[in-house]
Amino acid sequence: MHFVEVKGILSAKNGMNLYRGCTHGCIYCDSRSKCYQMDHDFEDIEVKQNAPELLERALRSKRKRCMIGTGAMCDPYMHCEEKIQMTRKCLEIIERYGFGLAIQTKSDRILRDLDLLNSINKKAKCVVQMTLTTYDEELCKILEPNVCTTKRRFEVLQIFRENGIPTVVWMSPFLPFINATRENVEGILDYCIRAGVYGIICYGIGMTLREGNREYFYAKLDRHFPGVKEMYQRRYGHAYEITSSKNAELMKLLHDTCKKHKIVSNMGEVFDYLHKFPEEDYEQLSLFS
């Protein structure tokens, strides 16, 4: 772990990444790709130590409140967050200034900040996004070894439902020959139904591979799934988009199930929901507070 000073923290679309790198160890992680030009080991977490000051300055200068996103490139609840509490410091600022939050994680560490998330949701809007990829617990421990399993994430989703905080599930990636199966998709969808999620984001039944993450992924395949790397090489070569032969069948299953249970599966609608700040509701509440 090392600390750096950065010039800015919010992207043009009001997203932020407080760290660079990750310690969750997911074998498929696209953030390992060389195109992101990370000049340090992926597990050597870069901490943007002046992020809270930059965030407060940015929010103070905004003319309108909006949704702030976090977790797109690195998980805000990695192991180091327990000690550094960078995420919590930034949530406190978001809550104080009355902005909304769309936060994405795989970790149950997010429950530590339930008090702040509740307060943000009451003042404005908070949406918790949880990534679910693998219903089978033992397989999940191989694919995502250093973070809580899918069953625990489902329990976290239930806790947010009980607290009235809306949730969105990212169903990806699905690894051909490993977890791109009907049984896996059905299991995750059952969790989503039972947790009462607002929406599901799924780009398709597949994954992406490019220089950096491809080599890491293949090394893990050799270790845990002997012979599967060669199946990838024969079928996909050096393709960036790795789409399962079951894509059409399983995406139909996903959309049909979501329609039946009133879960939003149109990604455009889900992203609109994540980015929409309830300005009118907020102003009405302010008048009577």
Side-chain angles (χ1 to χ4, degrees):
M1 184 169 59
H2 62 283
F3 296 82
V4 298
E5 297 272 326
V6 293
K7 294 181 179 179
I9 195 62
L10 284 185
S11 70
K13 294 185 177 180
N14 297 308
M16 64 180 182
N17 288 288
L18 306 175
Y19 304 105
R20 290 195 79 196
C22 190
T23 52
H24 285 168
C26 303
I27 72 171
Y28 50 73
C29 185
D30 175 73
S31 294
R32 291 181 180 275
S33 301
K34 288 188 177 180
C35 64
Y36 298 118
Q37 300 178 336
M38 194 173 297
D39 57 3
H40 56 86
D41 289 341
F42 193 67
E43 286 78 14
D44 176 18
I45 305 303
E46 179 179 289
V47 181
K48 300 175 184 179
Q49 60 184 353
N50 60 331
E53 292 83 3
L54 292 174
L55 177 63
E56 182 159 18
R57 188 185 309 163
L59 298 191
R60 195 167 52 226
S61 66
K62 283 189 177 292
R63 299 177 66 179
K64 290 185 65 176
R65 293 178 178 88
C66 62
M67 298 293 289
I68 305 298
T70 186
M73 285 296 297
C74 69
D75 198 303
Y77 289 101
M78 292 181 292
H79 304 79
C80 62
E81 173 62 21
E82 293 181 4
K83 178 180 179 181
I84 297 172
Q85 298 195 24
M86 187 69 67
T87 297
R88 184 168 180 87
K89 292 172 187 174
C90 289
L91 295 188
E92 289 172 343
I93 295 167
I94 291 169
E95 190 272 342
R96 186 162 66 248
Y97 282 87
F99 280 71
L101 175 71
I103 189 165
Q104 182 181 352
T105 186
K106 285 188 178 105
S107 176
D108 58 355
R109 292 186 186 92
I110 192 172
L111 293 176
R112 179 202 64 187
D113 295 333
L114 183 58
D115 59 332
L116 281 171
L117 300 175
N118 264 320
S119 183
I120 291 170
N121 196 45
K122 289 174 183 176
K123 282 188 173 184
K125 176 181 173 182
C126 176
V127 185
V128 171
Q129 303 163 77
M130 188 68 71
T131 300
L132 305 182
T133 70
T134 311
Y135 182 72
D136 181 274
E137 290 288 281
E138 294 308 310
L139 181 58
C140 183
K141 291 174 185 177
I142 295 174
L143 303 186
E144 302 161 345
N146 303 326
V147 68
C148 65
T149 62
T150 302
K151 182 179 179 181
R152 176 56 178 161
R153 291 176 227 170
F154 159 62
E155 293 169 351
V156 171
L157 289 169
Q158 288 183 306
I159 291 170
F160 284 117
R161 181 186 189 182
E162 292 165 0
N163 280 268
I165 295 175
T167 55
V168 165
V169 162
W170 287 70
M171 284 181 64
S172 64
F174 291 103
L175 317 182
F177 315 118
I178 298 174
N179 70 341
T181 66
R182 187 178 188 90
E183 180 183 28
N184 187 45
V185 172
E186 286 177 336
I188 297 173
L189 285 172
D190 180 61
Y191 276 156
C192 293
I193 295 163
R194 290 162 61 191
V197 305
Y198 169 85
I200 291 174
I201 295 172
C202 181
Y203 285 95
I205 309 302
M207 62 182 301
T208 59
L209 285 177
R210 48 188 164 188
E211 187 179 7
N213 79 314
R214 178 185 286 109
E215 291 79 4
Y216 185 85
F217 177 64
Y218 280 174
K220 294 299 181 180
L221 290 185
D222 281 341
R223 178 179 177 183
H224 297 289
F225 308 98
V228 174
K229 178 184 74 176
E230 289 73 21
M231 295 168 67
Y232 272 78
Q233 291 172 328
R234 285 194 300 269
R235 183 176 180 86
Y236 302 108
H238 284 274
Y240 167 58
E241 293 187 1
I242 309 299
T243 304
S244 169
S245 61
K246 300 178 181 178
N247 179 67
E249 169 197 345
L250 296 182
M251 287 302 292
K252 184 178 186 303
L253 169 65
L254 186 152
H255 289 301
D256 288 349
T257 303
C258 287
K259 184 176 180 180
K260 178 180 178 180
H261 294 277
K262 295 183 169 61
I263 297 172
V264 180
S265 62
N266 179 289
M267 291 200 299
E269 288 185 48
V270 179
F271 282 120
D272 285 345
Y273 177 73
L274 292 174
H275 288 100
K276 185 177 180 181
F277 183 81
E279 192 68 55
E280 290 183 6
D281 292 340
Y282 183 88
E283 290 174 355
Q284 290 171 1
L285 287 171
S286 298
L287 289 173
F288 296 99
S289 62

